[in-house]
Amino acid sequence: MNPMEKAGWTPLPHSDEDLEHIKRVPDTPQTRAATYRLAWDDPDFMTRRELRPVRLQLELLKPEMTLAERGIESTVVIFGGSRIPEPGGKAWAAKNEAQKCNLEANSRYYEEARKFARLCSQHSARSDFREFVVVTGGGPGVMEAGNRGAHDVGAPTIGLNIVLPHEQAPNAYVTPDLCFNFHYFAIRKMHFVMRAKAMAVFPGGFGTLDEFFETLTLIQTGRMERVPIILFGSDFWSRAMDLDFLAEQGTISPGDQDIIDLVDTADEAWAIISRFYGL
């Protein structure tokens, strides 16, 4: 093949070629100086506060390019508490006996998230895993259950991790080359919604509520197309929030509550998605 016919060919050297060349230059005080490093290969430079706009762009581009190259066109997002254990597992986050009992009782949502992810992934296989690919925050609890359900049926599954002091490390069921890590919450949120065809929200804490309400706001304001937003756990959500009260107070419009569907099982949730898209 003519070199000019190769994809991405250029008469100028690629940056990776320059990096190899730099490794072969003589070792001198000048070449060891930080100023001599190529800018993009200099961690001290790339992590300066002035470089924040560049880092934001890189965090947007890296996952986007990878997902596009894999041909992933749409996703199903699973949000939920990192502290919810699998049935029979240890309630490691419990601070008292009441929390321990409640977290253990909520472990049923781990199983429903796992089953829901299996249903999504079985349908995803029909599109050669281009549509309805399961994506989670990549951590433990409900996130692990979502990735695990996809893994159960041999489907690829995405994890969008973020650097936190605790509770957040990749679970073992995320497809390794679809496991991403973020510094900026804002860019991570963009990746959750950019390909989302549905969102399933399980019981969780501030992080779950943050992602949930951000998505509601995007749909309510017309900045995002309507997609199924499904809450798992009628008992939990009836106490965690009261959208009817907000409508009565006039702080949301009548009918805004209808953006949400409330379910208790994975089968109910998949039926909603199937009806919405005519699957």
Side-chain angles (χ1 to χ4, degrees):
M1 178 184 291
N2 187 310
M4 295 187 68
E5 295 176 357
K6 294 181 180 179
W9 182 87
T10 171
L12 301 174
H14 286 281
S15 54
D16 56 346
E17 295 171 345
D18 275 352
L19 189 58
E20 287 302 312
H21 173 72
I22 290 293
K23 293 177 181 178
R24 296 193 296 269
V25 301
D27 182 18
T28 68
Q30 290 76 24
T31 61
R32 288 195 297 270
T35 52
Y36 186 74
R37 296 175 192 159
L38 293 168
W40 49 266
D41 192 44
D42 183 349
D44 293 332
F45 175 70
M46 289 297 296
T47 53
R48 288 180 58 153
R49 290 186 179 274
E50 296 91 336
L51 270 289
R52 180 177 290 157
V54 175
R55 294 195 300 273
L56 285 163
Q57 183 179 20
L58 291 174
E59 284 207 349
L60 182 64
L61 277 173
K62 183 179 178 180
E64 172 59 24
M65 292 170 66
T66 302
L67 296 177
E69 288 166 359
R70 284 288 294 261
I72 295 174
E73 298 175 4
S74 71
T75 58
V76 176
V77 183
I78 296 179
F79 293 136
S82 62
R83 307 180 184 202
I84 292 177
E86 66 176 304
K90 182 181 179 181
W92 56 269
K95 299 298 189 290
N96 53 54
E97 191 61 30
Q99 285 194 349
K100 180 176 181 293
C101 291
N102 287 328
L103 285 170
E104 289 175 351
N106 285 332
S107 67
R108 67 185 185 275
Y109 296 117
Y110 184 105
E111 279 305 305
E112 289 302 325
R114 186 176 176 182
K115 181 178 180 181
F116 175 68
R118 285 200 297 266
L119 293 173
C120 296
S121 299
Q122 286 165 348
H123 183 82
S124 180
R126 301 179 187 179
S127 65
D128 195 24
F129 302 116
R130 293 178 179 272
E131 301 277 359
F132 294 96
V133 178
V134 169
V135 57
T136 79
V142 168
M143 295 177 282
E144 176 186 287
N147 295 126
R148 187 175 182 179
H151 184 270
D152 287 341
V153 295
T157 179
I158 303 165
L160 304 182
N161 283 84
I162 190 159
V163 178
L164 295 176
H166 55 83
E167 295 179 17
Q168 188 73 353
N171 67 67
Y173 303 101
V174 179
T175 302
D177 60 356
L178 293 175
C179 186
F180 303 98
N181 201 16
F182 291 85
H183 175 75
Y184 297 105
F185 269 100
I187 302 299
R188 181 177 182 244
K189 288 177 180 179
M190 287 188 65
H191 280 291
F192 273 127
V193 301
M194 282 169 64
R195 285 174 168 79
K197 274 196 170 178
M199 291 196 174
V201 186
F202 289 79
F206 290 158
T208 300
L209 292 169
D210 176 43
E211 304 287 1
F212 169 51
F213 279 109
E214 179 123 13
T215 305
L216 282 187
T217 302
L218 290 171
I219 293 175
Q220 181 204 44
T221 57
R223 296 304 305 270
M224 177 179 172
E225 290 185 16
R226 178 79 178 267
V227 301
I229 305 295
I230 303 167
L231 294 184
F232 274 78
S234 52
D235 291 342
F236 179 90
W237 292 109
S238 65
R239 291 194 60 188
M241 65 178 189
D242 189 346
L243 296 186
D244 290 333
F245 173 76
L246 295 182
E248 291 170 4
Q249 295 298 307
T251 55
I252 63 173
S253 298
D256 280 346
Q257 311 98 301
D258 299 334
I259 297 173
I260 302 164
D261 289 292
L262 197 62
V263 304
D264 288 301
T265 69
D267 289 323
E268 291 176 275
W270 182 249
I272 289 169
I273 295 172
S274 296
R275 286 195 301 271
F276 189 91
Y277 291 106
L279 302 179

